[in-house]
Amino acid sequence: MAGGAPGRSYWTARLGSCAAAAALALYGALQAVDGVALKHSVDAWAAAQGAEKAVRFAAAEDLRWLEWGMRSYQSFVLGAAFILIGIAVGSSRSLPRPVGYLMGLSGIAYLAQGWIIGADGFSGSNTVPTLAGIALILAWTLWLLASSLRRS
């Protein structure tokens, strides 16, 4: 569509890029909760004495639940980003269409992870979506790498 308005795949890719940026920002916030706040809270609980120990444990537990919520939302947004970018890749003429399908499937795996973490926290029921997401990302990443190496 030379000279005309950008097509749907252009806007889908742009929206997917925005979702990916939001997922990255959420991941940074998640690391602040998990890597900083929760660590200090657990250290305070471990050092507490007597009745203060129960209060410190409750505070650490609250932060753990906040971590679950942050991770849940981050997984939802990352899943949406993969789906949107997968749609754009799948409708592109310059990239292999199955790569877009794999990206979309990895997005669905991340949506499932977000749902499970939001409902159950970090539980064993999240194992299959997590492994599926990792395997699918590895597959489409390697496919894109091979595709780009063949072109050059």
Side-chain angles (χ1 to χ4, degrees):
M1 189 181 291
R8 274 184 265 172
S9 64
Y10 170 83
W11 289 109
T12 304
R14 294 285 300 219
L15 189 57
S17 296
C18 290
L24 183 61
L26 283 167
Y27 191 75
L30 171 65
Q31 292 311 303
V33 170
D34 180 32
V36 179
L38 184 57
K39 184 207 181 301
H40 287 293
S41 186
V42 168
D43 289 348
W45 167 51
Q49 300 292 319
E52 184 185 6
K53 199 150 188 91
V55 172
R56 296 287 186 174
F57 178 80
E61 188 176 42
D62 287 345
L63 279 174
R64 184 65 165 175
W65 293 338
L66 178 61
E67 178 192 9
W68 290 354
M70 291 289 300
R71 179 60 173 196
S72 174
Y73 280 105
Q74 191 269 338
S75 293
F76 277 127
V77 175
L78 184 59
F82 283 147
I83 290 169
L84 290 166
I85 295 170
I87 291 168
V89 167
S91 63
S92 168
R93 292 188 188 117
S94 60
L95 295 168
R97 181 168 285 189
V99 170
Y101 297 145
L102 291 174
M103 290 177 113
L105 288 173
S106 65
I108 291 169
Y110 273 88
L111 291 178
Q113 288 177 47
W115 182 271
I116 292 168
I117 293 169
D120 298 336
F122 299 132
S123 68
S125 57
N126 201 23
T127 302
V128 172
T130 299
L131 292 176
I134 292 168
L136 288 163
I137 288 172
L138 181 62
W140 63 256
T141 302
L142 291 175
W143 196 332
L144 282 177
L145 175 65
S147 180
S148 68
L149 290 175
R150 271 184 288 215
R151 289 179 184 206
S152 56

